Amino acid sequence: IVGANASLLTAVAPEHMEKLLDLPTVAREEGIALSHVAQAGGNVAINMDDAWIRPHFTTIRSGKKISYSMTQLLENGLSARISSAEDTLEVKGLAGDGKVLRFALPLPGRHNAGNLLAAIAIAHGLGLTPQEIERGMKTFRGAEGRSEVRELPGRTTVVCDYYNASPPSMEAGFELLAQVAAKNGDPSRVRWVCLGDMLELGEQEEQYHRSLAESLLRLKIQNVLLYGTRMRFLFDELQARGFAGTLSHHASHEE
């Protein structure tokens, strides 16, 4: 039997709800990834910004705990923020002298900065130096269908972020789209989203699809193309809220 000696949870969110039914059950089941490894004496990184994950810092009493946060200054953990240029993660707590260390973001978006901080926390817990962490980051390759930004002719930028989406990952994708659109001081760039159904959301799937309307309106997405039976809920919600841009729902990929 091979057991993990390091573990982290980046977030707890509505996912796998078809079988796990509700968010507290998702949090309990995913939390086993932390408690099981800690009980075996391993390293666990705990995201203090997630209300479902944060309690593990108190309840876990074995193993080695490393806390991290993007929103608060931790006395004995890793604290970080994104640089004003949004291309660097500034981390405090890695160096004993309180020095701030900077790491280039391998993927755009605030959610990816949080993922990087989680990885740095685990690496730090395993004894890697900042120099070794930086060296390892140079070998990073992103996954297809996650935060891919592709430049097409005619100043057209496509954000490909479609693999196995949940409501929070959809919203993170919208934020990334807005960030890319505003790049180079041009916030007026026309924004389109093309969305397919989110699966495995259980009995609350209608509510979760409708909830995406809030972010689309707040971020001033002008054009929305939707596909799938569940995305019909979002189509109806945007219509009810008086969405003024291009809005269409399609029953097939060919459409």
Side-chain angles (χ1 to χ4, degrees), residues 4-240:
N5 60 5
S7 178
L8 67 89
L9 290 178
T10 54
V12 170
E15 56 193 2
H16 313 302
M17 303 280 276
E18 197 171 31
K19 301 293 184 184
L20 297 180
L21 303 181
D22 57 34
L23 205 48
T25 307
V26 171
R28 187 176 69 245
E29 291 299 304
E30 293 194 348
I32 294 172
L34 297 175
S35 58
H36 181 77
V37 170
Q39 286 166 11
N43 289 263
V44 293
I46 297 177
N47 182 2
M48 302 299 282
D49 297 333
D50 189 298
W52 293 103
I53 298 173
R54 190 185 311 122
H56 288 288
F57 191 75
T58 303
T59 58
I60 288 176
R61 302 183 183 278
S62 52
K64 181 178 180 181
K65 299 179 292 188
I66 306 103
S67 59
Y68 66 92
S69 171
M70 292 283 294
T71 65
Q72 53 189 303
L73 185 61
L74 302 178
E75 190 173 337
N76 294 309
L78 303 185
S79 304
R81 68 183 186 92
I82 306 172
S83 68
S84 56
E86 296 193 332
D87 58 0
T88 304
L89 187 68
E90 300 175 346
V91 183
K92 191 171 184 179
L94 277 177
D97 55 5
K99 186 179 176 183
V100 172
L101 301 179
R102 293 170 175 81
F103 298 87
L105 288 173
L107 291 173
R110 181 177 179 80
H111 59 299
N112 286 316
N115 292 338
L116 173 59
L117 180 59
I120 290 172
I122 279 289
H124 179 61
L126 292 172
L128 275 70
T129 66
Q131 293 75 24
E132 288 171 323
I133 293 171
E134 194 166 31
R135 222 168 30 240
M137 283 175 55
K138 291 177 181 177
T139 69
F140 174 81
R141 297 292 179 272
E144 186 176 352
R146 296 272 188 165
S147 301
E148 288 184 277
V149 179
R150 302 180 183 176
E151 296 292 341
L152 302 183
R155 290 189 69 250
T156 299
T157 306
V158 181
V159 177
C160 303
D161 202 324
Y162 50 78
Y163 180 75
N164 201 23
S166 65
S169 74
M170 279 277 199
E171 291 169 3
F174 301 159
E175 295 277 358
L176 177 55
L177 175 64
Q179 177 186 327
V180 169
K183 198 173 180 181
N184 300 325
D186 186 7
S188 64
R189 294 181 73 180
V190 179
R191 303 167 198 181
W192 294 73
V193 297
C194 180
L195 309 176
D197 286 351
M198 298 181 290
L199 306 181
E200 297 181 11
L201 293 179
E203 294 179 357
Q204 299 181 67
E205 64 179 13
E206 177 176 350
Q207 171 195 330
Y208 286 127
H209 281 81
R210 288 182 179 273
S211 71
L212 299 179
E214 194 69 42
S215 294
L216 291 171
L217 293 167
R218 175 175 55 84
L219 294 168
K220 297 180 172 57
I221 307 296
Q222 297 102 322
N223 307 283
V224 179
L225 308 177
L226 302 171
Y227 164 77
T229 55
R230 297 166 183 82
M231 275 298 167
R232 184 78 201 190
F233 298 132
L234 177 56
F235 178 82
D236 292 343
E237 185 68 21
L238 286 169
Q239 273 199 326

